[in-house]
Amino acid sequence: MSVAFILSLVAQWQCKYVDITNNDNNFGEGGMVDQAGIHCYQAGGGNWAYSVDVVSDTTQSLSYATVAMGGIAWLIFLLAICCKFPGPVWLLTGLLLAATAVTEGLVFREVFNSDFCTAGSGDSCAWGVGAKCAISAMTFWSLSSLMTCAMFKEAKESGGNEEGGDEEEG
């Protein structure tokens, strides 16, 4: 779970999400763009530039949503060290993790459909470090979702009590 969160952070804020080849796009003021991320790009000459217009607002919003949802899920797991949560909390957390995996995948898709990758002739983007981290994060978010659903089943069967159920003797 923590691994997925760290990979998500690296993927979303890594300026090396895509490596751009065969690019006719003159987006940056410093020349053609060599690498790009969700919030920044590197123009020719190695100068990094931060811009809100690197990819669409939707992609950036999905990026923020991915990190926020992953952070909330991570906080729930952190609180689970001290508190015993009932089954519905684990079900909602599992669904939150599944939604996080989906938004991580949508960010990946949207970046590769951005102006950086569609400009020029043919395919102009290769997976960068950020894209590889996004794929890994999406995998870990999905696995975390499945394992959290198993926790829901376990909490439901135990009845949410420390002793393993609320059956009465008699």
Side-chain angles (χ1 to χ4, degrees), residues 131-147:
K132 292 173 185 175
C133 286
I135 292 170
S136 299
M138 191 171 58
T139 303
F140 281 114
W141 289 129
S142 299
L143 291 173
S144 297
S145 174
L146 293 174
M147 293 183 343

Side-chain angles (χ1 to χ4, degrees), residues 4 80 82 87 106 119 127 164:
C82 305
L106 289 173
W127 292 1

Side-chain angles (χ1 to χ4, degrees), residues 10-72:
V10 170
Q12 307 309 329
W13 280 283
Q14 177 65 257
C15 292
K16 298 178 182 178
Y17 203 98
V18 294
D19 294 324
I20 301 170
T21 57
N22 301 326
N23 192 1
D24 295 332
N25 188 352
N26 202 8
F27 184 82
E29 292 180 16
M32 294 193 319
V33 175
D34 298 325
Q35 295 174 330
I38 306 295
H39 305 283
C40 52
Y41 61 90
Q42 182 183 31
N47 296 323
W48 290 103
Y50 288 85
S51 171
V52 293
D53 298 327
V54 175
V55 293
S56 72
D57 290 340
T58 303
T59 305
Q60 288 181 349
S61 297
L62 286 170
S63 170
Y64 292 133
T66 299
V67 174
M69 289 186 300
I72 291 168

Side-chain angles (χ1 to χ4, degrees), residues 66-156:
T66 299
V67 174
M69 289 186 300
I72 291 168
W74 184 79
L75 183 63
I76 291 170
F77 277 98
L78 188 63
L79 291 173
I81 295 171
C82 305
C83 309
K84 185 168 179 84
F85 291 124
V89 171
W90 293 118
L91 178 63
L92 289 174
T93 304
L95 293 173
L96 181 68
L97 289 166
T100 306
V102 169
T103 57
E104 187 81 60
L106 289 173
V107 168
F108 181 85
R109 181 181 154 266
E110 290 298 317
V111 167
F112 280 90
N113 286 333
S114 68
D115 290 341
F116 288 123
C117 296
T118 56
S121 57
D123 297 330
S124 60
C125 286
W127 292 1
V129 173
K132 292 173 185 175
C133 286
I135 292 170
S136 299
M138 191 171 58
T139 303
F140 281 114
W141 289 129
S142 299
L143 291 173
S144 297
S145 174
L146 293 174
M147 293 183 343
T148 303
C149 287
M151 292 173 68
F152 162 68
K153 182 179 177 187
E154 180 181 320
K156 185 178 172 185

